[in-house]
Amino acid sequence: MITKRIIPCLDVRDGRVVKGTNFEGLRDVNSPVELARYYSDNGADELVFYDITASAEGRALFTDILTEVAKTIFIPLTVGGGINTLDDFDRVLKCGADKVSVNSGAIKNPDLIRAAAEKYGDQCVVLSADVKRVDGRFTVFAKGGRENTGMDALEWIKRCVDMGAGEVVLNSIDTDGVKNGFDLEMLDAVCNIVNVPVIASGGAGSVDDFTELFKTLPKVDAGLAASVFHFGEIKIPELKKELHKNQITVRL
């Protein structure tokens, strides 16, 4: 079995890490640099850094904080928020990111994915899809979950992978911050239509949720979470020991 990755996510607003529920009600957590260092030293396999209001505010991503984070850690770093052009890719990669996550920018200009994959390689381009059920249909949302695009999520994700996205982060808005488990139905639907790594995001509340995720959906490559890690409800070394006990391959 492929080694499963555990990935903390830093949602950054105004230079601070914040966390909410269903993408709303954000509260302050910590300094991104301090948290990044902690995760790098305590067993995280990768780190995701989202500047969560860059797209909605129509501005470029905070590069000063990003540069500090990249200098601090020794694990792969994926960065997103306000990525609209190849210049944005270039800027973020020069700050020390290993991969660049696109969401709203790709919705506005799908060719961005193809152009970035051609220039930097598929492995550098991560599609971040914010998805919510609307009238029983998986629907894509933009601008940090604020804007319903009306697009069918499965068609959109398949199209982006065909254009060169080398990884998919599936953010279930329905389960975000609720802590009742990952959105297995949505994840299964996505895993069945793409052949690139799929990262589960939204809903982790306990160690058992990660065990259930990887046992139920062996095609899922990684579990991503925020608040349960930020507030110490789950410690990554203990999570990995439990996964290992359950015959799930992780880097210990």
Side-chain angles (χ1 to χ4, degrees):
M1 184 192 277
I2 192 161
T3 302
K4 303 302 184 187
R5 293 172 286 152
I6 302 300
I7 307 174
C9 177
L10 308 182
D11 293 321
V12 179
R13 182 184 68 175
D14 300 330
R16 298 285 293 176
V17 176
V18 294
K19 191 66 195 98
T21 302
N22 304 123
F23 284 34
E24 293 177 352
L26 300 174
R27 58 184 170 138
D28 186 84
V29 178
N30 205 330
S31 144
V33 178
E34 284 172 30
L35 261 187
R37 181 183 293 116
Y38 170 79
Y39 289 131
S40 183
D41 292 345
N42 283 275
D45 296 297
E46 296 188 16
L47 192 65
V48 169
F49 177 112
Y50 287 137
D51 184 341
I52 57 170
T53 53
S55 289
E57 292 169 7
R59 60 165 170 78
L61 182 140
F62 294 120
T63 48
D64 50 347
I65 296 164
L66 173 56
T67 304
E68 279 299 303
V69 167
K71 274 196 263 182
T72 301
I73 65 174
F74 301 96
I75 52 177
L77 174 64
T78 298
V79 176
I83 305 294
N84 295 298
T85 64
L86 283 183
D87 283 348
D88 291 329
F89 266 81
D90 200 54
R91 197 161 41 86
V92 166
L93 291 168
K94 280 178 177 158
C95 288
D98 299 281
K99 296 183 268 191
V100 182
S101 174
V102 287
N103 184 343
S104 299
I107 291 167
K108 279 186 284 190
N109 173 23
D111 275 342
L112 177 61
I113 288 179
R114 182 180 285 111
E118 284 171 4
K119 184 167 183 182
Y120 302 107
D122 293 12
Q123 80 292 338
C124 182
V125 183
V126 179
L127 173 70
S128 176
D130 295 337
V131 181
K132 185 177 183 178
R133 290 165 180 79
V134 177
D135 300 327
R137 180 169 160 262
F138 296 134
T139 304
V140 178
F141 278 67
K143 295 188 178 169
R146 295 173 185 80
E147 188 178 285
N148 182 351
T149 67
M151 292 194 300
D152 179 273
L154 298 181
E155 288 173 12
W156 168 244
I157 290 167
K158 175 89 170 62
R159 181 181 169 198
C160 291
V161 169
D162 288 346
M163 286 192 293
E167 194 166 76
V168 175
V169 177
L170 182 66
N171 309 301
S172 170
I173 297 174
D174 295 323
T175 60
D176 173 70
V178 178
K179 299 184 184 175
N180 283 336
F182 290 98
D183 199 326
L184 301 178
E185 181 195 22
M186 190 185 286
L187 285 157
D188 187 43
V190 171
C191 285
N192 286 330
I193 58 161
V194 299
N195 58 359
V196 298
V198 173
I199 297 170
S201 170
S206 68
V207 168
D208 289 346
D209 292 335
F210 284 88
T211 306
E212 182 187 30
L213 169 70
F214 295 130
K215 286 277 193 191
T216 310
L217 299 175
K219 285 184 184 172
V220 169
D221 282 73
L224 181 148
S227 55
V228 287
F229 294 146
H230 298 342
F231 299 117
E233 294 160 50
I234 298 176
K235 300 263 194 309
I236 292 174
E238 287 156 27
L239 166 60
K240 288 188 164 186
K241 276 184 204 147
E242 192 60 32
L243 292 172
H244 182 65
K245 254 198 280 183
N246 281 276
Q247 280 78 55
I248 295 162
T249 308
V250 289
R251 180 181 67 88
L252 291 170

